[in-house]
Amino acid sequence: MTSHFDRFSFVMALGLVICPIGAKADVNIGVLVSSTGPAATIGNAEKNGAGFGPAEIAGQKVNYIAVDEASDTTAAVTGMRKLIQESNIDILIGPTTTPGSFAIIDTAAEAKVPMITLAPTNALVSPVDAKRRWVFKTTPNDEHEATPLFENMKKSGVKRLAVIGFADPYGEAWSKVAAELSKNAGIEIVADEKYARTDTSVVGQVLKIVAAKPDAVLIAASAAPAALPVLQLREKGYRGALYGTLGATFGDFRKLTGTKSEGIFVPLSPTIGAESFPDSYPAKKAALEFIAKYEGKYGVDTRNIFAGSAYDAVILVERAVPAAIKAGKPGTAEFREGLRTAIENLKGVMGSRGEYNMSPTYHTGLEQSSLLLGKLDKGKWVLVQ
């Protein structure tokens, strides 16, 4: 892809469009992410990933119209409506969060604008009904993250598991998945605690967990806030196994936890640990290309899954546009339907997060192979061979 980044800018939540809208034949891509608010760290990484998108696809100029949804559901809906009404977008990339993505599904479906959400929750794309036929995502499903962890727990003889996670849909989704997979693995959930992303202490929750004497603790959180349970579990003397979710591989988690998180198991994406994946892994080359581009621009060790999701969303659009043009001119309902149909039928597309195989009943695209068991080894995320 040829970068368009010089033309890519952000504005605040009310959605003022600062990128010039070209002729009617231009392809207009809305980028609605959290540039401010609690999810800004993630949203800005996504902005960076989308910034590698092409300036032209199949002879059509591409405009990227970026709006900050400020980590807020109301702002997400307002931003989506403005992108549709004022910019006549052909497709949307975003929003960043699960609540924001749920909030705009009705708007996208009513306007018949396809969207590629960057949020992870399965229910955003499943089941593929009259509304969700317009929704795709470039993140694995909940069970894809959990499966390698629970397989390792079972293999390691874990019988008693404690869970601590965010007190929001992310943490709730993990509690549900953990309950299901632990039952199948013969593991008892002995504690299930929650905390807010902005909390500065989880001592109360940690004391309950320690008292429950688990063999392992699963931390369902992301980035820097995921460090809090690790630090306070170790402070209170917990020495058992730790498992994290994919979000732990992002941000300042390693920096904040230091050696206290050494050996923590995570579901590992090629976006993060491609160098440790075997050469036979189908998406290894694509992941290494992303890493080289991203770290070439933003610095060593800046790679992250959120930038990878947005990067891959642009790849899907790039692959779908040539087929969609046959259905109609960009800017028309026919083109948007053609774009939706083309994405739905993409097969074998390699991205930074794995191989995408979409279908009319499966709008995730990624499969279990997109996440394998990894761990933190001497400060680096590596595949467990």
Side-chain angles (χ1 to χ4, degrees), residues 30 35 41 53 69 83 136 175 184 270 341 371 380:
S35 188
T41 304
E69 39 90 328
L83 284 167
F136 302 86
S175 289
N184 296 335
T341 302
L371 288 172
K380 290 188 176 297

Side-chain angles (χ1 to χ4, degrees), residues 260-294:
K260 291 184 172 60
S261 60
E262 182 72 9
I264 187 173
F265 292 105
V266 295
L268 187 65
S269 166
T271 317
I272 301 300
E275 294 91 340
S276 65
F277 280 53
D279 291 341
S280 58
Y281 187 78
K284 180 172 182 176
K285 180 181 177 182
L288 289 174
E289 287 177 353
F290 162 76
I291 292 169
K293 287 181 182 178
Y294 199 84

Side-chain angles (χ1 to χ4, degrees), residues 25-104:
D26 291 359
V27 177
N28 291 328
I29 301 176
V31 181
L32 184 65
V33 298
S34 300
S35 188
T36 59
T41 304
I42 295 172
N44 284 318
E46 293 166 346
K47 177 195 69 176
N48 293 341
F52 290 97
E56 182 179 301
I57 304 174
Q60 308 294 313
K61 180 185 175 186
V62 181
N63 300 310
Y64 297 83
I65 305 97
V67 170
D68 176 15
E69 39 90 328
S71 314
D72 178 79
T73 55
T74 301
V77 174
T78 301
M80 181 60 170
R81 286 175 177 164
K82 291 184 76 72
L83 284 167
I84 292 170
Q85 295 166 3
E86 299 182 7
S87 302
N88 193 30
I89 59 170
D90 295 298
I91 189 167
L92 179 81
I93 295 175
T96 296
T97 68
T98 293
S101 298
F102 273 122
I104 70 164

Side-chain angles (χ1 to χ4, degrees), residues 18 30 36 45 70 110 115 133 146 169 172 174 184-185 192 213 236 241 249 272 322 331-332 364:
I18 64 173
T36 59
E110 289 169 6
M115 58 180 277
R133 71 188 293 269
E172 295 297 338
W174 266 98
N184 296 335
D192 188 355
K213 299 180 179 178
K236 297 302 176 185
T249 65
I272 301 300
T332 66
T364 295

Side-chain angles (χ1 to χ4, degrees), residues 152-345:
N152 183 263
M153 290 180 202
K154 185 176 182 179
K155 182 179 178 182
S156 302
V158 171
K159 296 297 183 185
R160 296 169 61 83
L161 176 68
V163 180
I164 180 169
F166 288 149
D168 62 18
Y170 182 89
E172 295 297 338
W174 266 98
S175 289
K176 182 179 178 181
V177 170
E180 293 173 356
L181 294 189
S182 62
K183 189 181 299 180
N184 296 335
I187 297 171
E188 179 186 3
I189 302 290
V190 296
D192 188 355
E193 299 293 329
K194 296 288 184 292
Y195 68 106
R197 294 174 187 251
T198 54
D199 282 353
T200 57
S201 173
V202 291
V203 169
Q205 295 93 324
V206 163
L207 289 175
K208 292 179 183 177
I209 288 172
V210 173
K213 299 180 179 178
D215 299 318
V217 177
L218 170 63
I219 300 167
S222 62
L228 194 57
V230 173
L231 295 173
Q232 296 190 341
L233 278 163
R234 294 310 192 204
E235 285 175 5
K236 297 302 176 185
Y238 179 74
R239 296 292 178 266
L242 294 177
Y243 291 80
T245 57
L246 189 54
T249 65
F250 176 69
D252 289 334
F253 176 83
R254 285 179 297 167
K255 179 181 178 182
L256 293 172
T257 57
T259 57
K260 291 184 172 60
S261 60
E262 182 72 9
I264 187 173
F265 292 105
V266 295
L268 187 65
S269 166
T271 317
I272 301 300
E275 294 91 340
S276 65
F277 280 53
D279 291 341
S280 58
Y281 187 78
K284 180 172 182 176
K285 180 181 177 182
L288 289 174
E289 287 177 353
F290 162 76
I291 292 169
K293 287 181 182 178
Y294 199 84
E295 297 197 346
K297 186 174 182 65
Y298 295 103
V300 175
D301 219 17
T302 56
R303 69 186 74 173
N304 63 83
I305 53 172
F306 303 109
S309 291
Y311 177 89
D312 288 0
V314 176
I315 289 177
L316 296 181
V317 175
E318 186 176 19
R319 290 289 298 271
V321 164
I325 288 175
K326 297 175 183 176
K329 196 174 182 179
T332 66
E334 290 78 11
F335 178 74
R336 292 193 294 272
E337 173 61 42
L339 202 51
R340 192 207 66 79
T341 302
I343 293 174
E344 192 174 74
N345 288 288

